[in-house]
Amino acid sequence: SQISKYKVLVSFGNPEKGKVLLRLANNLVKKMNSNAAVTVMHLSPNNELNQVNIDEYEHASFAPVIEESKILNQKITTLFKVTNDIMAEIPDVANKGDYDLLLVGFGQSIFEGSLLGRILGFTTRIIDPDRFFNTVTGKEKLFERSPFEESTRMILARSEVPVGIFIDKNLSKIDRIFMPIFDLKDAFLIKYVQKLISNSGAQVTILDANGQVNNSEIKELIRVIEQNAPNHINLMKQTEIGKDTLKQQDLMIISIESWKSLIEKQTVWLTNTPSVLIISENQSSG
């Protein structure tokens, strides 16, 4: 039935990034067949296009993603829109279509020159090595209220569905996933891990960062997964995760609240994380 379908909306700007986001979506739904639906959306500002080249532009935008969908054997629906307000349109489409997950890449205006620039969502204007050093050493708070740039914040603020913000560090496969649990509120992440285990056989390392996994709710969720897929979850207790552990992973999944606190505190992680999927479950956070 329509109701039980798991629906993912992938919104991309750059077609190459679209391919990676599609791969991520595919890993969440691969074995669900007709019980899942993946829609891939590309929006264009209407001042850039005239009627004549619009079809050509649409074709060029989707070609790499359609090609990837064939390689993955993933059925997709493509959605192309020309709009005045891309950042409002993305969550609007997600809300109206009642999607279970909206997947977006980190904003396209990100300064790509340095890895840290990419991870932390700096725009070109504010990258300044001295200032960054001060931030890392705690001398200055660079993030007034949000670790995201304006465009991502708007999407988060307007979206009524869960949003996954993906930071790509050359993701090629999703075999090994690292998921830190800092807080009881992070329990919702477990259902994403469960999807990745059952659809793509991923191996998951859960870090119990603050002794929260002893909590019965989280323990029970993990136990259920272990029953269905033995030997796919590895629970780590120590608060300090070494570089090596992080470097072996393909993807880190983290809640938006924990990501914010990670940026405020555990800055040493940030340079060593694999690709990151930051998930915002409850709305209007940003």
Side-chain angles (χ1 to χ4, degrees):
S1 71
Q2 280 303 108
I3 301 165
S4 64
K5 261 196 185 179
Y6 188 74
K7 294 164 65 181
V8 183
L9 176 63
V10 171
S11 174
F12 72 94
N14 167 330
E16 285 308 307
K17 291 269 185 275
K19 279 164 60 170
V20 185
L21 286 169
L22 177 60
R23 225 173 287 152
L24 188 55
N26 173 255
N27 274 276
L28 284 162
V29 303
K30 208 182 282 195
K31 293 183 178 163
M32 292 171 74
N33 302 326
S34 58
N35 286 326
V38 176
T39 301
V40 181
M41 172 169 77
H42 179 74
L43 302 175
S44 169
N46 65 2
N47 53 1
E48 286 179 13
L49 295 174
N50 57 40
Q51 254 349 94
V52 181
N53 59 17
I54 206 161
D55 292 343
E56 211 173 303
Y57 175 86
E58 179 177 354
H59 176 75
S61 302
F62 281 106
V65 180
I66 290 170
E67 186 58 36
E68 186 69 20
S69 73
K70 289 178 182 152
I71 295 167
L72 295 170
N73 198 14
Q74 172 67 56
K75 274 177 67 172
I76 58 171
T77 305
T78 58
L79 178 58
F80 175 72
K81 278 184 127 171
V82 177
T83 173
N84 280 323
D85 188 350
I86 287 183
M87 292 315 143
E89 190 79 45
I90 292 172
D92 271 8
V93 172
N95 297 342
K96 285 188 187 121
D98 201 22
Y99 285 89
D100 295 288
L101 180 64
L102 164 62
L103 275 182
V104 294
F106 236 52
Q108 293 144 274
S109 62
I110 296 293
F111 177 59
E112 293 279 339
S114 82
L115 191 56
L116 279 167
R118 238 184 14 245
I119 302 168
L120 297 178
F122 292 119
T123 53
T124 343
R125 291 193 311 283
I126 60 171
I127 267 280
D128 164 356
D130 296 336
R131 192 165 171 203
F132 183 73
F133 180 75
N134 285 340
T135 310
V136 172
T137 53
K139 290 184 189 143
E140 180 189 351
K141 262 202 146 145
L142 189 56
F143 303 102
E144 287 309 301
R145 281 197 320 279
S146 177
F148 299 110
E149 42 152 23
E150 196 54 39
S151 58
T152 309
R153 281 214 300 274
M154 263 181 81
I155 292 173
L156 285 168
R158 290 176 184 237
S159 180
E160 292 155 21
V161 309
V163 181
I165 300 155
F166 179 63
I167 301 172
D168 184 22
K169 296 201 201 170
N170 302 319
L171 180 82
S172 57
K173 58 187 184 0
I174 308 181
D175 296 337
R176 303 179 66 130
I177 295 169
F178 174 65
M179 190 180 89
I181 290 186
F182 286 93
D183 190 286
L184 279 186
K185 294 197 208 68
D186 290 347
F188 77 87
L189 292 170
I190 293 174
K191 65 174 180 237
Y192 294 98
V193 160
Q194 186 182 8
K195 284 200 181 325
L196 289 160
I197 290 173
S198 59
N199 285 286
S200 61
Q203 289 288 336
V204 180
T205 298
I206 294 181
L207 171 70
D208 184 6
N210 298 322
Q212 297 287 355
V213 172
N214 281 329
N215 165 279
S216 56
E217 181 200 355
I218 294 182
K219 241 187 170 151
E220 178 58 21
L221 291 169
I222 292 173
R223 194 188 62 78
V224 170
I225 296 177
E226 282 180 329
Q227 256 182 344
N228 297 330
N231 308 322
H232 279 272
I233 290 187
N234 166 27
L235 202 54
M236 292 185 89
K237 278 285 195 285
Q238 77 262 42
T239 349
E240 280 302 281
I241 279 282
K243 278 183 199 176
D244 299 341
T245 312
L246 285 169
K247 288 231 155 72
Q248 289 161 8
Q249 309 297 320
D250 300 317
L251 181 69
M252 173 164 100
I253 296 182
I254 189 167
S255 71
I256 195 164
E257 295 308 325
S258 294
W259 174 252
K260 287 177 187 171
S261 67
L262 205 58
I263 282 184
E264 281 163 23
K265 292 182 242 139
Q266 318 241 351
T267 26
V268 67
W269 271 29
L270 296 173
T271 42
N272 296 306
T273 61
S275 296
V276 184
L277 179 61
I278 304 163
I279 302 180
S280 162
E281 183 80 342
N282 34 8
Q283 276 18 93
S284 308
S285 53

